[in-house]
Amino acid sequence: MLSEFDLIKQYFKRELPGRATLGIGDDCALLTPGAGSQMAISTDMLVENRHFFAGADARCLGHKALAVNLSDLAAMGATPVAFTLALAMPKADPVWLAAFSKGLFEIADLYGCELIGGDTTRGPLNICITVFGELAPGQAIKRSGALAGDDIWVSGTLGDARLTLAGLRDEFPIDHASLELASPRMHLPDPRIALGQALAAGGLAHAALDISDGFVGDLGHILEASRVGATVNVDALPAGPALAAQEAATRRQFCALGGDDYELCFTADPAQRQAIIAAGAACGTPVTLVGVIDAGPGLRLIDGAGSTVDLDAAGFDHFTLP
Ligand code: ADP
Ligand code: MG
């Protein structure tokens, strides 16, 4: 059985020149912010049987645990710098640890985000990461800045993670090819770091967040923080390629309410449309205009013809929301 220290040394401590002033090994790590920069800090936890099924692929878990945290940095427009990892696991399984740390470091290296410390303990599998990012003071895109008349944008596509969940739960028949296409969206989410950075650096967005709990609920956080309302065309929501082949009611439901998307939702002055489309193109992340911020409170969902859509009454009854 590996000791805690051997385990950390073998799977998590790397002898690479890093950005941290002091990394793994002492009581604290030391991080020196770049001159004139501000730190963005966020924590997200993945709990077995709550956020992932028991027996989930360890490499995917390593990826996803960091990806969902990086997604929060993306939403503020911050550049990833470092992260800590608090890990509880029932036993020190070398095969699991090797795969987990591989997935973790693959995405960490992709975004130049260094593991600088953490904690390791025995217990039910639980992965808690805190990320540290940097940005210029005043550039962070908060939830509270949306203004009446703003466009509402969504990055990438929505709903394929929810379609994957429907497949895993056997909610309704989904063909194998569709699940193959959709499942990376659930297991290997791609944080929209470059788009977030471009929006923040260019001062293009008034408000933003990442969509983790479903578009409608998450947009609601912007509306509440900004004290505004919105009108959204549900048929404009960009369905993932697998979801796009499903029936219209499923498409609407999963795009609007699905969850686990890790796309950005942001609002911006209509004068920025061309700049936003160009920013999306420059970082390879398409952006879609889905609605408008209203001065009055409340979220109104409409279809392409402008009629009110009631998602609960959309003839969709083959699943219950998570
Ligand atoms: P302490 O007794 O001060 O809590 P630990 O013995 O838990 O310290 O950890 C020793 C060192 O290893 C610390 O620098 C800590 O940040 C680091 N560490 C512990 N667990 C992990 C982990 N899962 N990933 C990265 N670093 C870790
Ligand atoms: Mg400790």
Side-chain angles (χ1 to χ4, degrees):
M1 175 77 186
L2 285 171
S3 77
E4 182 187 337
F5 301 104
D6 291 340
L7 183 157
I8 294 162
K9 207 168 148 202
Q10 185 161 345
Y11 296 103
F12 297 117
K13 188 168 162 50
R14 301 199 298 172
E15 305 301 333
L16 300 172
R19 163 74 171 71
T21 306
L22 182 65
I24 291 173
D26 215 313
D27 291 306
C28 292
L30 296 173
L31 207 52
T32 310
S37 74
Q38 196 167 51
M39 301 233 81
I41 301 159
S42 182
T43 298
D44 252 321
M45 187 150 62
L46 292 189
V47 177
E48 189 173 62
N49 295 322
R50 171 79 191 120
H51 301 100
F52 58 91
F53 293 112
D57 181 86
R59 187 169 165 195
C60 290
L61 276 181
H63 175 105
K64 187 164 180 175
L66 183 54
V68 302
N69 277 279
L70 292 172
S71 180
D72 287 315
L73 291 184
M76 301 291 282
T79 299
V81 172
F83 68 106
T84 60
L85 167 68
L87 184 61
M89 54 196 166
K91 62 179 168 67
D93 173 354
V95 174
W96 189 92
L97 279 161
F100 175 81
S101 61
K102 187 173 195 324
L104 184 75
F105 285 124
E106 276 166 354
I107 183 167
D109 292 346
L110 194 60
Y111 290 102
C113 196
E114 182 190 358
L115 179 58
I116 57 170
D119 198 19
T120 309
T121 178
R122 193 184 295 270
L125 186 57
N126 190 330
I127 306 156
C128 182
I129 286 179
T130 298
V131 277
F132 302 83
E134 267 184 345
L135 37 64
Q139 273 191 3
I141 314 166
K142 295 186 260 185
R143 298 178 176 195
S144 55
L147 299 174
D150 274 3
D151 289 332
I152 302 171
W153 296 85
V154 170
S155 71
T157 64
L158 302 174
D160 270 0
R162 181 63 184 83
L163 187 68
T164 306
L165 182 64
L168 291 172
R169 287 181 180 165
D170 240 337
E171 288 173 9
F172 56 93
I174 307 169
D175 65 279
H176 183 73
S178 294
L179 284 177
E180 288 275 292
L181 183 62
S183 67
R185 289 305 305 270
M186 168 180 252
H187 300 304
L188 296 167
D190 192 9
R192 301 304 190 190
I193 292 289
L195 179 63
Q197 287 171 326
L199 295 175
L204 299 179
H206 287 154
L209 49 56
D210 69 318
I211 305 172
S212 51
D213 298 328
F215 169 80
V216 163
D218 284 329
L219 175 60
H221 298 313
I222 288 183
L223 303 186
E224 197 187 329
S226 302
R227 298 170 194 272
V228 290
T231 302
V232 167
N233 175 1
V234 288
D235 292 332
L237 293 173
L243 180 60
Q246 298 290 319
E247 61 173 78
T250 311
R251 228 163 45 221
R252 279 183 178 172
Q253 197 87 14
F254 285 9
C255 278
L257 306 173
D260 244 8
D261 296 301
Y262 303 104
E263 294 292 354
L264 301 185
C265 172
F266 55 98
T267 84
D269 192 309
Q272 301 289 3
R273 274 182 201 173
Q274 290 317 314
I276 286 169
I277 291 166
C283 54
T285 303
V287 288
T288 305
L289 188 51
V290 300
V292 62
I293 294 291
D294 302 325
L299 172 60
R300 281 153 296 279
L301 300 178
I302 58 170
D303 62 17
S307 306
T308 301
V309 171
D310 181 352
L311 283 177
D312 294 330
F316 195 95
D317 57 8
H318 52 234
F319 74 99
T320 18
L321 290 172

